[in-house]
Amino acid sequence: MFAEPEFWVAVAFFILMGVFAYLGVHRTVLTTLDHRHDRIKAELDDARRIKEEAAKVLEQYKARRASAEREAAEIITGAKAEAERIASEAKAKMEDFVARRTKTAENKIALAEAQALADVRAAAADAAIAAASTILSQSVKGEVADDLLAKGIQDVRTKLN
């Protein structure tokens, strides 16, 4: 038994443990472990608190994102409505412009027709006056002829113009 190395290892172990107990190493080890336990617990508490803050910040950003998406959708909807309104106004203005241009063109055509009709009547009146003056000058002579001619020309002019 005394010759076996395991025996002496056990004796040395117990002696070492006795010296450690006498010197109070176990209290130092326990104190160190307690401090380490407290430090780890504080770190875990800090980590838990930081995790909760991060979760709150994440929720705030999610709410902001949802709000921004809603606002963007409202802006898009408003822009579409504005574009439709502008398009309908442009269409109405274009239709009004076309109607006014058509009316102006029709008025110009009517005026041109009236002018052409007046020109034709004037030409017909001039031709009738010339024909009447030629006929009357050949058939009637003297002062009576001149009075009749002037009166006839005046009548033709007033009636045709």
Side-chain angles (χ1 to χ4, degrees), residues 5 64-67 76 87 109 133 136 144 151-152:
R64 286 183 187 170
R65 180 179 173 214
S67 174
I76 290 170
I109 290 170
S133 69
L136 287 177
V144 174
K151 187 178 175 187

Side-chain angles (χ1 to χ4, degrees), residues 45-63:
D45 289 342
D46 285 344
R48 191 174 296 117
R49 181 182 51 79
I50 290 171
K51 180 182 175 185
E52 290 172 358
E53 288 176 6
K56 288 179 184 176
V57 169
L58 179 64
E59 289 301 318
Q60 288 174 351
Y61 281 114
K62 283 182 180 179

Side-chain angles (χ1 to χ4, degrees), residues 7-20:
F7 172 73
W8 291 110
V9 170
V11 169
F13 177 75
F14 285 118
I15 291 172
L16 183 66
M17 287 297 135
V19 170
F20 281 167

Side-chain angles (χ1 to χ4, degrees), residues 15-85:
I15 291 172
L16 183 66
M17 287 297 135
V19 170
F20 281 167
Y22 178 73
L23 294 175
V25 172
H26 66 285
R27 279 185 287 244
T28 307
V29 171
L30 289 176
T31 305
T32 305
L33 288 175
D34 285 342
H35 287 301
R36 184 175 172 136
H37 173 267
D38 293 340
R39 192 184 75 220
I40 291 172
K41 184 177 183 200
E43 287 177 3
L44 287 174
D45 289 342
D46 285 344
R48 191 174 296 117
R49 181 182 51 79
I50 290 171
K51 180 182 175 185
E52 290 172 358
E53 288 176 6
K56 288 179 184 176
V57 169
L58 179 64
E59 289 301 318
Q60 288 174 351
Y61 281 114
K62 283 182 180 179
R64 286 183 187 170
R65 180 179 173 214
S67 174
E69 286 177 353
R70 281 192 305 272
E71 188 175 329
E74 290 172 2
I75 289 171
I76 290 170
T77 303
K80 285 181 181 179
E82 182 71 15
E84 289 175 3
R85 183 187 62 78

Side-chain angles (χ1 to χ4, degrees), residues 46-159:
D46 285 344
R48 191 174 296 117
R49 181 182 51 79
I50 290 171
K51 180 182 175 185
E52 290 172 358
E53 288 176 6
K56 288 179 184 176
V57 169
L58 179 64
E59 289 301 318
Q60 288 174 351
Y61 281 114
K62 283 182 180 179
R64 286 183 187 170
R65 180 179 173 214
S67 174
E69 286 177 353
R70 281 192 305 272
E71 188 175 329
E74 290 172 2
I75 289 171
I76 290 170
T77 303
K80 285 181 181 179
E82 182 71 15
E84 289 175 3
R85 183 187 62 78
I86 289 171
S88 66
E89 284 179 6
K91 183 180 177 184
K93 285 181 182 179
M94 182 60 82
E95 289 173 354
D96 183 48
F97 176 75
V98 168
R100 281 187 283 129
R101 294 295 269 179
T102 302
K103 187 173 181 179
T104 302
E106 288 173 352
N107 288 341
K108 284 183 179 180
I109 290 170
L111 185 63
E113 286 176 352
Q115 184 63 39
L117 185 60
D119 289 345
V120 168
R121 282 186 181 170
D126 289 342
I129 290 170
S133 69
T134 303
I135 292 172
L136 287 177
S137 65
Q138 290 173 359
S139 61
V140 178
K141 305 259 188 230
E143 193 178 305
V144 174
D146 290 339
D147 288 340
L148 275 174
L149 181 61
K151 187 178 175 187
I153 290 172
Q154 190 64 28
D155 286 345
V156 168
R157 278 197 178 137
T158 55
K159 288 182 181 177

